[in-house]
């Protein structure tokens, strides 16, 4: 059994943000991840203006990562389409690129990075595949993946699934997608499309299990049927999408917020609050939680205080995003959203701003 204080489980955005902040306050956190080689987590690849600002506070400049700058939002539903400016510039960046830069920043700041898969977590002890890790301050940041002993509840019978295609750069897609984030709404879900570094396209779909079933049950059939239904989507998918692998993630507990924890266990990122992905704000919440938890730890306020306070802070953005997601996944709601975007674009921009988390500033170095 190894004793490590503080111990961070998961080196995604939440875990890395916590590692950077803890290291800046003079601690030498251990950041533990199951993957030695940084993968490309399933994600929409959209980084909001708030996320860009938070990353800047951590010393990461998105302009230097090759991220694709985004200034317009396009909404599509059936034969309708609206384009409106985002309140502030945002970015498209793959998770491979983001996680690589965040891990490097954490190590530069003084965190140690090791690899093990945590199989079970109980108060004060993380049972890994290679050994047990004991700590008085555990930061749980395993994101979309639950660890036995600390699983999030799944109450929704018709849960949401995430699907993602990464398509190579090509001139036609670049012409269609440059500077924009697109949301193609359909009954039971939406497709989000954005260009990332190097011009590749991230095509990410969040859909109810029942909607996937009604489209034949397989991701490929769903993409093919949606392409038939939505000509603009077909144009963006082009001819090469069938050659790409579809990544999937099941049972995403959209809307869940953790309100209680145990002494010494700080829950971060998707293990603290799961904002519907339509808002493109999950990474911002992940970073905000990493900062808030480490501020609370430094001030010796304890994990329980942090968790309640963060739940309060996350309630508005998660609630608004949930409302937006429920509206957008119905025909009437989607039509209404496009009509509103056309007649009152300022209101949509305000809504997009309200659905961002008020992030605490990291403690000074
Ligand atoms: C379909 C979909 C689209 C999305 N699109 C966007 C978007 O465009 N913009 C946005 O801001 N957010 C988006 N999100 C949300 C965003 O992906 C998450 O909120 C964010 O990744 C949470 O970060 P995290 O650090 O908590 O967890 P993660 O990013 O999931 O990272 C968790 C880390 O923990 C590691 N890990 C997992 N299990 C273990 C274990 N047992 N032991 C050790 N290590 C482990 C993993 O390897 C990983 O490195 C989307 C979500 C979905 C489902």
């Amino acid at each position: 059994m190894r004793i490590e204080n503080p111990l961070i489980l998961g080196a995604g955005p939440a875990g890395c943000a916590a590692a950077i902040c803890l290291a800046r306050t003079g601690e030498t956190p251990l950041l533990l991840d199951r993957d030695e080689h940084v993968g490309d987590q399933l994600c929409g690849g959209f980084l909001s203006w708030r996320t860009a600002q938070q990353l800047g506070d951590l010393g990461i400049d998105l302009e230097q990562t090759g991220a694709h700058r985004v200034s317009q939002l396009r909404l599509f539903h059936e034969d309708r389409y609206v384009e409106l400016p985002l309140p502030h510039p945002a970015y498209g960046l793959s998770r491979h690129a983001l996680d690589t830069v965040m891990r490097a920043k954490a190590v530069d700041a003084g965190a140690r990075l090791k690899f093990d898969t945590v199989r079970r977590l109980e108060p004060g002890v993380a049972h890994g595949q290679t050994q047990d890790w004991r700590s008085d301050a555990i930061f749980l940041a395993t994101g979309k993946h639950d660890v036995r002993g600390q699983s999030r509840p799944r109450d929704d019978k018709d849960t949401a699934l995430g699907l993602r295609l990464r398509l190579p750069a090509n001139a036609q897609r670049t012409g269609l997608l440059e500077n924009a984030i697109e949301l193609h709404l359909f009954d039971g879900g939406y497709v989000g499309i954005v260009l990332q570094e190097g011009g590749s396209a991230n095509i990410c779909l969040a859909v109810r299990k029942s909607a996937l079933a009604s489209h034949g049950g397989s991701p490929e059939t769903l993409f093919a049927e949606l392409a038939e239904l939505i000509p603009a989507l077909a144009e963006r998918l082009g001819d090469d999408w069938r050659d790409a692998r579809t990544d999937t993630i099941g049972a995403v507990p959209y809307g869940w917020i953790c309100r209680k924890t145990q002494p010494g266990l700080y829950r971060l990122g998707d293990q603290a609050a799961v904002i519907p992905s339509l808002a493109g704000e999950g990474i911002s919440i992940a970073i905000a939680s990493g900062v808030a938890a480490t501020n609370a730890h430094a001030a010796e306020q304890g994990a329980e205080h942090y968790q309640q306070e963060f739940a309060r802070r996350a309630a508005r953005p998660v609630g608004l995003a949930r409302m937006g997601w429920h509206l957008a996944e119905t025909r009437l709601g989607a039509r209404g959203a496009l009509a509103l975007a056309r007649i009152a674009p300022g209101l949509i921009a305000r809504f997009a701003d309200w659905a961002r988390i008020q992030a605490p500033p990291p403690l000074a170095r």
Side-chain angles (χ1 to χ4, degrees):
M1 173 107 54
R2 259 179 99 128
I3 301 179
E4 292 288 354
N5 276 319
L7 174 64
I8 304 166
L9 309 177
C16 288
I20 295 166
C21 294
L22 286 167
R24 281 180 174 181
T25 58
E27 306 226 35
T28 42
L30 177 69
L31 188 52
L32 206 61
D33 201 278
R34 59 183 187 178
D35 295 327
E36 188 157 358
H37 300 288
V38 182
D40 190 20
Q41 295 263 343
L42 190 153
C43 187
F46 173 78
L47 301 179
S48 73
W49 47 99
R50 188 63 54 81
T51 315
Q53 180 203 329
Q54 291 167 283
L55 287 167
D57 290 345
L58 297 178
I60 296 168
D61 178 0
L62 282 175
E63 292 284 348
Q64 286 178 9
T65 60
H68 184 83
R69 206 176 155 100
V70 172
S71 55
Q72 298 295 114
L73 166 67
R74 288 195 203 121
L75 292 173
F76 293 81
H77 180 246
E78 295 177 349
D79 54 348
R80 290 154 203 235
Y81 148 74
V82 184
E83 176 162 347
L84 54 161
L86 289 175
H88 308 281
Y91 294 87
L93 188 71
S94 73
R95 283 298 302 277
H96 174 75
L98 178 67
D99 291 10
T100 301
V101 89
M102 288 195 78
R103 277 192 190 187
K105 197 53 143 184
V107 171
D108 270 4
R112 291 161 303 136
L113 179 59
K114 291 197 169 164
F115 302 97
D116 195 5
T117 302
V118 178
R119 294 193 176 286
R120 189 158 54 86
L121 182 59
E122 57 190 62
V125 190
H127 299 277
Q129 195 169 358
T130 63
Q131 64 181 94
D132 290 345
W133 308 82
R134 181 175 284 282
S135 179
D136 299 333
I138 297 181
F139 294 78
L140 176 62
T142 54
K144 299 177 182 77
H145 304 277
D146 286 335
V147 171
R148 214 151 28 103
Q150 295 296 336
S151 295
R152 297 162 299 173
R154 303 289 201 287
D155 300 330
D156 198 343
K157 291 207 170 41
D158 193 9
T159 54
L161 314 172
L163 311 176
R164 192 260 314 262
L165 285 171
R166 283 165 298 175
L167 301 185
N170 84 25
Q172 191 201 344
R173 268 194 292 269
T174 303
L176 290 167
L177 296 167
E178 205 147 21
N179 303 327
I181 166 84
E182 293 192 349
L183 297 176
H184 298 252
L185 312 179
F186 63 91
D187 285 3
Y190 77 93
V191 186
I193 312 181
V194 72
L195 290 179
Q196 308 181 138
E197 74 281 5
S200 65
N202 184 322
I203 303 199
C204 198
L205 196 150
V207 65
R208 294 269 177 196
K209 212 166 125 190
S210 60
L212 178 67
S214 72
H215 285 277
S218 92
E220 290 73 22
T221 322
L222 176 62
F223 273 115
E225 290 192 7
L226 289 176
E228 293 235 326
L229 273 173
I230 314 172
L233 176 63
E235 244 187 308
R236 281 132 182 92
L237 286 170
D239 299 325
D240 53 351
W241 73 269
R242 286 178 194 279
D243 304 331
R245 196 188 67 201
T246 311
D247 302 309
T248 57
I249 181 137
V252 185
Y254 282 146
W256 176 78
I257 297 179
C258 173
R259 297 179 195 281
K260 256 178 138 179
T261 186
Q262 296 138 2
L265 178 64
Y266 298 81
R267 299 184 69 118
L268 313 182
D270 280 3
Q271 290 291 322
V274 187
I275 189 164
S277 50
L278 185 84
E281 193 62 356
I283 292 169
S284 178
I285 291 209
I287 297 172
S289 66
V291 173
T294 52
N295 287 355
H297 176 67
E300 297 182 2
Q301 289 169 334
E304 290 141 301
H305 172 83
Y306 148 75
Q307 211 72 57
Q308 280 170 16
E309 192 45 35
F310 192 74
R312 195 188 54 72
R313 205 184 271 271
R316 187 183 71 185
V318 171
L320 284 175
R322 209 173 170 185
M323 202 170 84
W325 152 256
H326 286 320
L327 258 182
E329 66 176 345
T330 65
R331 185 158 188 264
L332 208 64
R335 285 181 86 118
L338 263 80
L340 196 63
R342 189 166 289 122
I343 54 173
L347 198 65
I348 298 284
R350 287 271 274 289
F351 184 84
D353 236 355
W354 289 334
R356 309 290 139 197
I357 189 150
Q358 292 304 319
L363 292 178
R365 278 170 231 222

